[in-house]
Amino acid sequence: MPFDPIILWTDALVYLLVGIVITVGWYIRRSPHLRAPWRRVTHSASGMAALTILAFFILIGVLDTIHFRPLLADASEQAGKKVYSVEVLSLFDIIATPLRTRVEKTYSAPLSAYLYAKETVELPDGSQVREFTRLKYGGAHLTDPETQRVDDVIQRAIKGGSWGLFAWSLIVIGLSWGLANRNHTHFLHTQTLIWRGATETPWRVILITLALGCVLLGMVVALSSHYHVLGTDKVGQDVLYQALKSIRTGLVIGTLTTLIMLPFALLLGIAAGYFRGWIDDVIQYIYTTLSSIPSVLLIAAAVLMMQVYIETHPEMFDTISARADLRLLFLCIILGITSWTGLCRLLRGETLKLREMEYIQAAHAFAVSHWRIISRHILPNVMHIVLIAIVMDFSGLVLAEAVLSYVGVGVDPSMISFGTMINAARLEMAREPMVWWTLMAAFGFMFMLVLSANLFADAVQNAFNPRIRTLPGKMSPSSHPKAAPTLPTPQVASSPLAPNAKDTAHL
């Protein structure tokens, strides 16, 4: 076997989370009353555009979660048995091998062919001069970077963008063909409806967002094979590779912390509001006391204790990645324990209101058990609050990791994250000339991740809000100016394409 599969603690939890999401999605798909609000989420143009961007981040995170140790062929032949490397790689590392392995001597600016620091060079006549030397990999194919670099960058960017547009056109054709077959409409008519915006799901906005992404991705792929698109850091590592590797850390912090805090918030919040009395007093005392402790100090103390334990028990970890992963998992646990109080308070207030409703009182009168009332009546009616809260807390947790890693109590220094990138760039902002690209790369990727998460959370909030029938600014198919009134048939109501005046019967 050319590799040894490795499952880290966070990998196992991510796989569990993916399984839960697939199972819940399958259950929602089979339940019309649960599928209805999610259909309203798909009507939001900003929400679906944000989800398209989030899908890219999630894909990078999943690829970076499949870990293994490669086989050392030479060492295996000498030892007579399989010998694996101590370096743990991921599937994303294999895909991004050029970015990972092309390491320069030190800093280089984005798309540059020279180092960012002068070095002493000996001339053929024996004299020495200080100048910016050529990079080992970036722009190495150019004979005269001063005159060739700009034209070469433009040509490669245009070529990569063209390939991105070609890939996007294939996606458009496949999507239109699939929708046409599902709704029994003509292919060209389906494309007309999509580009006129006469569909329930805003496919036009999704495809425009996807077009921009495909063009940008094609340009980056074409340029990264010959340049460092976002430059290199102090040790010569590609900044684009670091920014992409940081995505998994941010996603793990946001999702696993939510997974850890959710049981505390659900159990204690509903119990406090439903049972009241001394149970409510004890739970209020717990989350009030926990909220009064500065979270940064509590997290710092817990992480430092965990770090001491790791350093005093090195035999427990066979690789550096295993040690860094345990610290990341412990950070998720600490953040989850300290961040459940807000959601718990919201659930307590909502449960206090729900337990006074007539159907809850009727269930009490018929001697229905507390567990059945909570599971069948209370929990389904607070899930919209839970869903909205966890989606909106995701971006806050991503920012929390960046702040904690910046002050040195976040992830392990050997693990790449947005916080460690910002911390590494902190001292370089004061040097002359200023190294700005590491900070801007971390800020740009983190900004896109947090912004897309917030926009998607806003769409989820509007869709699950019982006081809002449709999303603001989104007309129903029956009121669309380009669509005729929808026929009251199940086939028309479940169609993802808004019916057109001439082809209502076909949709």
Side-chain angles (χ1 to χ4, degrees), residues 351-372:
T351 306
L352 284 172
K353 182 183 72 174
L354 289 174
R355 75 181 308 276
E356 303 299 331
M357 301 297 290
E358 289 81 1
Y359 57 91
I360 301 294
Q361 299 298 325
H364 282 299
F366 283 100
V368 179
S369 65
H370 295 309
W371 168 251
R372 191 172 183 84

Side-chain angles (χ1 to χ4, degrees), residues 102-121 130-140 145-146 149 228 231-237 431 433-435 437:
R102 294 186 306 153
V103 180
E104 304 290 351
K105 186 177 295 183
T106 183
Y107 292 112
S108 66
L111 298 175
S112 177
Y114 296 94
L115 287 175
Y116 204 61
K118 289 185 177 182
E119 290 185 343
T120 301
V121 179
R130 289 185 61 82
E131 62 180 15
F132 298 102
T133 58
R134 289 287 301 272
L135 295 176
K136 185 178 180 181
Y137 299 101
E146 296 292 340
R149 185 176 63 87
H228 299 287
T232 57
D233 63 355
K234 187 175 183 179
V235 296
Q237 195 171 20
R431 74 189 295 268
M434 183 176 65
V435 178
W437 48 87

Side-chain angles (χ1 to χ4, degrees), residues 312-447:
T312 55
H313 297 80
E315 68 279 358
M316 297 179 58
F317 312 100
D318 53 350
T319 61
I320 298 177
S321 299
R323 184 187 66 185
D325 183 77
L326 183 62
R327 179 167 172 172
L328 175 62
L329 176 62
F330 191 74
L331 180 62
C332 293
I333 295 174
I334 295 301
L335 285 173
I337 293 176
T338 57
S339 59
W340 59 268
T341 55
L343 180 57
C344 179
R345 189 179 290 109
L346 288 175
L347 293 178
R348 173 186 174 273
E350 186 69 14
T351 306
L352 284 172
K353 182 183 72 174
L354 289 174
R355 75 181 308 276
E356 303 299 331
M357 301 297 290
E358 289 81 1
Y359 57 91
I360 301 294
Q361 299 298 325
H364 282 299
F366 283 100
V368 179
S369 65
H370 295 309
W371 168 251
R372 191 172 183 84
I373 292 176
I374 291 175
S375 61
R376 301 295 293 271
H377 299 295
I378 301 293
L379 187 59
N381 284 287
V382 299
M383 283 308 295
H384 68 284
I385 297 179
V386 174
L387 187 61
I388 293 169
I390 61 177
V391 175
M392 297 188 70
D393 286 346
F394 172 82
S395 57
L397 293 170
V398 174
L399 295 175
E401 180 276 326
V403 174
L404 292 173
S405 298
Y406 173 75
V407 299
V409 293
V411 300
D412 191 86
S414 63
M415 177 173 286
I416 302 174
S417 70
F418 295 123
T420 55
M421 290 181 65
I422 294 173
N423 191 27
R426 172 174 55 92
L427 299 176
E428 307 304 327
M429 295 298 292
R431 74 189 295 268
E432 183 62 36
M434 183 176 65
V435 178
W436 51 268
W437 48 87
T438 303
L439 179 64
M440 292 304 297
F443 174 78
F445 275 82
M446 186 169 58
F447 175 77

Side-chain angles (χ1 to χ4, degrees), residues 30-44:
R30 294 172 58 91
S31 305
H33 67 285
L34 297 177
R35 191 170 64 245
W38 283 108
R39 286 178 60 87
R40 290 197 294 270
V41 174
T42 62
H43 295 169
S44 171

Side-chain angles (χ1 to χ4, degrees), residues 75-392:
S76 300
E77 292 178 0
Q78 296 177 2
K81 60 179 181 179
K82 292 184 178 180
V83 178
Y84 296 96
S85 172
V86 296
E87 183 183 14
V88 178
L89 300 178
S90 66
L91 187 58
F92 172 76
D93 291 331
I94 300 302
I95 297 174
T97 296
L99 299 179
R100 178 175 58 88
T101 56
R102 294 186 306 153
V103 180
E104 304 290 351
K105 186 177 295 183
T106 183
Y107 292 112
S108 66
L111 298 175
S112 177
Y114 296 94
L115 287 175
Y116 204 61
K118 289 185 177 182
E119 290 185 343
T120 301
V121 179
E122 186 174 351
L123 299 178
D125 58 359
S127 61
Q128 294 182 344
V129 63
R130 289 185 61 82
E131 62 180 15
F132 298 102
T133 58
R134 289 287 301 272
L135 295 176
K136 185 178 180 181
Y137 299 101
H141 62 291
L142 302 177
T143 56
D144 186 11
E146 296 292 340
T147 58
Q148 298 175 345
R149 185 176 63 87
V150 176
D151 293 337
D152 184 68
V153 168
I154 294 175
Q155 292 176 5
R156 293 184 182 278
I158 294 176
K159 183 178 179 181
S162 301
W163 279 108
L165 280 178
F166 176 74
W168 173 78
S169 63
L170 296 180
I171 296 174
V172 173
I173 293 174
L175 174 65
S176 302
W177 180 81
L179 292 177
N181 284 346
R182 188 174 69 176
N183 297 281
H184 307 291
T185 58
H186 194 271
F187 175 80
L188 295 179
H189 179 63
T190 301
Q191 281 200 330
T192 302
L193 291 177
I194 290 175
W195 292 114
R196 287 171 56 189
T199 57
E200 291 183 358
T201 302
W203 291 112
R204 180 175 62 179
V205 176
I206 296 174
L207 292 177
I208 291 175
T209 305
L210 194 60
L212 296 177
C214 289
V215 171
L216 182 61
L217 182 61
M219 295 170 62
V220 169
V221 171
L223 291 173
S224 61
S225 60
H226 292 82
Y227 297 94
H228 299 287
V229 179
L230 297 180
T232 57
D233 63 355
K234 187 175 183 179
V235 296
Q237 195 171 20
D238 194 276
V239 174
L240 176 61
Y241 172 74
Q242 291 183 335
L244 294 174
K245 286 286 288 185
S246 301
I247 293 175
R248 177 188 181 270
T249 306
L251 292 176
V252 167
I253 289 287
T255 54
L256 296 189
T257 302
T258 302
L259 191 66
I260 292 170
M261 80 170 186
L262 197 57
F264 291 98
L266 276 175
L267 178 63
L268 298 180
I270 294 178
Y274 181 78
F275 294 105
R276 298 190 300 183
W278 67 270
I279 297 179
D280 186 18
D281 295 337
V282 170
I283 295 175
Q284 282 194 72
Y285 178 79
I286 292 175
Y287 71 64
T288 302
T289 303
L290 192 59
S291 300
S292 64
I293 303 175
S295 58
V296 175
L297 296 180
L298 184 60
I299 294 170
V303 170
L304 291 176
M305 287 189 297
M306 184 62 185
Q307 186 64 27
V308 172
Y309 178 81
I310 292 175
E311 292 177 355
T312 55
H313 297 80
E315 68 279 358
M316 297 179 58
F317 312 100
D318 53 350
T319 61
I320 298 177
S321 299
R323 184 187 66 185
D325 183 77
L326 183 62
R327 179 167 172 172
L328 175 62
L329 176 62
F330 191 74
L331 180 62
C332 293
I333 295 174
I334 295 301
L335 285 173
I337 293 176
T338 57
S339 59
W340 59 268
T341 55
L343 180 57
C344 179
R345 189 179 290 109
L346 288 175
L347 293 178
R348 173 186 174 273
E350 186 69 14
T351 306
L352 284 172
K353 182 183 72 174
L354 289 174
R355 75 181 308 276
E356 303 299 331
M357 301 297 290
E358 289 81 1
Y359 57 91
I360 301 294
Q361 299 298 325
H364 282 299
F366 283 100
V368 179
S369 65
H370 295 309
W371 168 251
R372 191 172 183 84
I373 292 176
I374 291 175
S375 61
R376 301 295 293 271
H377 299 295
I378 301 293
L379 187 59
N381 284 287
V382 299
M383 283 308 295
H384 68 284
I385 297 179
V386 174
L387 187 61
I388 293 169
I390 61 177
V391 175
M392 297 188 70

